[in-house]
Amino acid sequence: QLQLVESGGGLVQPGGSLRLSCTASGFTLDSYPIGWFRQAPGKEREGVSCISDRGGSMTNYADPVKGRFTISRDNAKNTVYLQMDNLKPEDAGVYFCARHFRPFTGICWPSKERYDFWGRGTQVTISS
């Protein structure tokens, strides 16, 4: 069964860190670019970061998270991570990972229109 499962969300204080995981089953995650997206209440889902396939030589980050978030792969675990540091209140929301509609592209852009298979999300809450 094809599945993407996010985990690692939770409650953290401003300035804190979280590491989100996106684990795949039923397919090889490294064959596809993978993106992370987030959605705050009342707002559109927005791209946060993405990593290319076959080792992830290309990564991209949305401007608000550059320098604070890091995306990476662990192919042995069929998992993509999103390390989030120096979290701000505006980073709160439900975080989703998604698989690009096409495998083996070698590139990635965190535009949600390019992703067609999604996990169910993990909640990130930032509060003091």
Side-chain angles (χ1 to χ4, degrees):
Q1 183 181 3
L2 297 179
Q3 237 181 343
L4 283 172
V5 179
E6 302 94 336
S7 62
L11 172 64
V12 64
Q13 293 185 342
S17 297
L18 284 173
R19 188 178 78 159
L20 305 184
S21 299
C22 171
T23 301
S25 57
F27 69 99
T28 301
L29 203 60
D30 194 42
S31 297
Y32 291 83
I34 299 296
W36 279 100
F37 302 81
R38 66 187 181 191
Q39 189 166 17
K43 293 190 176 181
E44 294 235 348
R45 192 170 299 188
E46 62 178 0
V48 174
S49 181
C50 65
I51 187 166
S52 62
D53 52 277
R54 288 173 290 184
S57 59
M58 178 179 180
T59 58
N60 260 309
Y61 298 91
D63 285 344
V65 308
K66 282 181 181 176
R68 300 188 296 121
F69 290 13
T70 304
I71 192 170
S72 62
R73 288 185 178 273
D74 184 337
N75 293 333
K77 296 183 179 180
N78 216 26
T79 297
V80 167
Y81 299 103
L82 185 69
Q83 177 67 40
M84 307 189 296
D85 298 318
N86 190 22
L87 283 160
K88 303 177 181 181
E90 54 264 39
D91 293 319
V94 180
Y95 281 70
F96 302 88
C97 66
R99 188 183 78 175
H100 195 272
F101 77 96
R102 184 177 294 170
F104 304 123
T105 66
I107 60 173
C108 79
W109 301 105
S111 301
K112 59 183 185 292
E113 294 78 15
R114 298 170 185 251
Y115 296 80
D116 66 351
F117 186 69
W118 294 77
R120 300 180 72 172
T122 185
Q123 178 73 48
V124 172
T125 304
I126 301 165
S127 175
S128 53

